[in-house]
Amino acid sequence: MRPGPDTEVVDARGRLVIPGLIDTHRHVWQGAIAGFTPQMTGYGYGPAVLTGISLDHTAADIYAGTLWGALQALDAGITTIGDWAHALQSADHADANLRGLRESGIRGLFFYGGPGPADEDPNPPHPLDARRMRDEHFPGNGNGNGSGSGDGNSGTGNSATGTGRLRMGMALRGPCFTSPERNRQDFAFARELGLPISIHVGMAGTPDAITVLRRDGLLGPDVNYIHANQLTDEEMDLIAASGGTVTITPSTDMLMQFGTYPATGRALERDIVSGLGVDTVCSAGTDLFSEMRLALAAERSRANAESLARNELVHEVALHQRDMLRLATLGGAQVLGLADETGSLTPGKQADITIVDLRSPHLDGFGDPVAMLVLGAGPADVETVLVGGEFAKRDGTLVGTHAAKARDLMHETQDRLRSVIR
């Protein structure tokens, strides 16, 4: 294709041009409190964050954290995100979260979560405000059954057009964090709205989630299962048979003691559509390069654990660096049901593109450039990011006046939270 007179040509010599990275599970509102819980397991995270500092967030704080959190992702070459928004105390909080996503320019799914209005019910229902949010902000979202497809694989996204670059889903508590009756009601609500579902399962101390869903007839291709570390082989088989998807979050899986190893190999060997997620920036980093590296290292360690226990030399290793890049791009797009729009550099898709500068000493290698990327790159190496053909990062710097505004708002939120921290 010959460029027209108004076409800008980007010089990518010495760089690696890849599809925009896709983070399928991230609590974006936490952008202003990164590094808050670096030494906490999942046991301590709940009271510190979910029933602690999150309840101190005003709607303005949610907006500031979400805008900054989305820009953190774009700066790291992530053009599409699954925002698991679980600090929504009110409709104002929900609107603020969505506004932050929109103003950042990122693509993705807004997964409406809790906790919802203050309630004495130990198992509160999913916030009913989700219906208003869908009707007001996503009029084209939710007309189907919650499942989407792309490149021949089912995923959790919705096939409706949504609004702009964003679509809507439901971040449900799931069977591990509510009563069986309430879980059935929450699933019914999400499916009544025609929205894809995302839940946490398979973390240490949260057994039997998949068998409970099977018992209650709730498994389906519209469900994304986050973590999945401790699931049994039978449970993994049930996910595969039902067409569900898995999100692997290696850093938090291992740093927060959710399981011995991430679910990478066990999901892929069953051909479960899978993607990577950063999860919580309170306890981990903000980029997918780290997740690709850790996923690869952890899976090779898991696959060879028996041989190593016998003190035997291992003759080959599992998976490949390109498997990791696929998880972070096309795999993620399939998980979110957006593979017909993004996830690969394919004519007809949206121009979501990340350009990584390989000229630095740590990336200017001899072998496969994808190996150098997966094993050595970081956000600082991301030179250019485009979403829908529009620059989000250029010459190593985020573009737009909203980036400077977001930093100021984030610092204001940090100052206020420090004054009221529980």
Side-chain angles (χ1 to χ4, degrees):
M1 179 177 177
R2 188 180 300 275
D6 297 327
T7 301
E8 179 177 354
V9 178
V10 177
D11 185 356
R13 289 174 293 184
R15 288 82 161 174
L16 185 62
V17 181
I18 62 173
L21 300 174
I22 298 176
D23 181 346
T24 60
H25 178 69
R26 188 185 190 115
H27 306 298
V28 185
W29 67 270
Q30 296 176 353
I33 56 171
F36 179 55
T37 55
Q39 289 184 286
M40 285 188 181
T41 67
Y43 181 81
Y45 170 84
V49 177
L50 301 183
T51 57
I53 198 169
S54 74
L55 300 182
D56 293 321
H57 275 63
T58 65
D61 295 329
I62 291 293
Y63 166 70
T66 301
L67 177 58
W68 186 250
L71 291 175
Q72 286 175 333
L74 287 165
D75 186 60
I78 296 166
T79 58
T80 300
I81 206 161
D83 179 17
W84 220 87
H86 66 341
L88 308 182
Q89 304 173 53
S90 69
D92 287 342
H93 285 74
D95 287 341
N97 191 299
L98 181 60
R99 184 161 64 95
L101 289 177
R102 280 183 172 159
E103 291 185 10
S104 76
I106 205 163
R107 190 183 309 283
L109 264 71
F110 164 69
F111 287 102
Y112 196 122
D119 193 330
E120 296 300 321
D121 187 341
N123 296 298
H126 191 84
L128 299 180
D129 181 62
R131 185 187 301 278
R132 175 203 61 89
M133 176 67 75
R134 187 204 64 171
D135 293 345
E136 288 185 9
H137 297 287
F138 298 90
N141 207 174
N143 295 329
N145 63 3
S147 64
S149 63
D151 290 3
N153 288 299
S154 293
T156 308
N158 194 287
S159 58
T161 57
T163 302
R165 294 174 180 169
L166 298 174
R167 300 182 185 182
M168 183 176 171
M170 293 282 258
L172 300 187
R173 291 178 174 88
C176 299
F177 301 100
T178 192
S179 68
E181 179 183 8
R182 185 68 74 191
N183 184 62
R184 290 191 294 270
Q185 293 170 353
D186 288 347
F187 264 69
F189 181 40
R191 285 171 171 160
E192 176 195 344
L193 297 182
L195 297 176
I197 295 165
S198 184
I199 60 173
H200 292 80
V201 301
M203 299 174 289
T206 60
D208 303 324
I210 307 303
T211 53
V212 168
L213 293 175
R214 176 183 61 177
R215 181 198 68 196
D216 292 340
L218 299 176
L219 296 170
D222 57 343
V223 186
N224 170 239
Y225 303 94
I226 306 153
H227 301 303
N229 308 66
Q230 300 290 91
L231 296 183
T232 65
D233 286 342
E234 179 188 15
E235 289 177 309
M236 294 294 283
D237 291 341
L238 287 170
I239 292 176
S242 65
T245 64
V246 165
T247 287
I248 303 154
T249 60
S251 289
T252 56
D253 289 344
M254 301 185 78
L255 290 172
M256 299 179 72
Q257 307 302 298
F258 291 153
T260 305
Y261 294 108
T264 316
R266 298 177 67 222
L268 294 183
E269 69 189 12
R270 291 170 169 81
D271 294 324
I272 297 173
V273 172
S274 302
L276 295 174
V278 165
D279 195 6
T280 170
V281 299
C282 291
S283 302
T286 62
D287 70 279
L288 285 182
F289 300 106
S290 300
E291 304 305 326
M292 286 190 278
R293 275 192 291 279
L294 188 53
L296 183 61
E299 179 52 27
R300 288 183 178 179
S301 179
R302 183 197 73 88
N304 295 305
E306 292 184 7
S307 295
L308 296 174
R310 296 190 295 268
N311 202 28
E312 297 175 354
L313 287 174
V314 176
H315 291 242
E316 58 184 31
V317 290
L319 297 185
H320 191 278
Q321 59 272 6
R322 290 179 178 250
D323 295 319
M324 299 301 101
L325 183 58
R326 181 182 174 87
L327 283 175
T329 53
L330 186 57
Q334 292 168 341
V335 166
L336 296 179
L338 299 175
D340 57 342
E341 297 179 29
T342 191
S344 63
L345 300 178
T346 304
K349 291 191 179 185
Q350 296 291 322
D352 295 350
I353 298 170
T354 292
I355 302 177
V356 179
D357 191 347
L358 297 184
R359 297 173 298 170
S360 299
H362 66 288
L363 294 179
D364 193 354
F366 178 74
D368 180 8
V370 174
M372 299 305 299
L373 174 96
V374 171
L375 299 177
D381 302 305
V382 175
E383 183 180 71
T384 303
V385 178
L386 297 101
V387 184
E390 298 178 354
F391 285 97
K393 185 177 184 180
R394 187 169 188 157
D395 298 325
T397 303
L398 290 168
V399 302
T401 57
H402 63 295
K405 179 185 82 169
R407 185 186 294 274
D408 291 340
L409 291 174
M410 177 268 294
H411 284 149
E412 290 175 12
T413 286
Q414 288 181 337
D415 290 343
R416 199 193 68 77
L417 289 173
R418 288 189 179 102
S419 70
V420 300
I421 193 168
R422 295 167 186 264

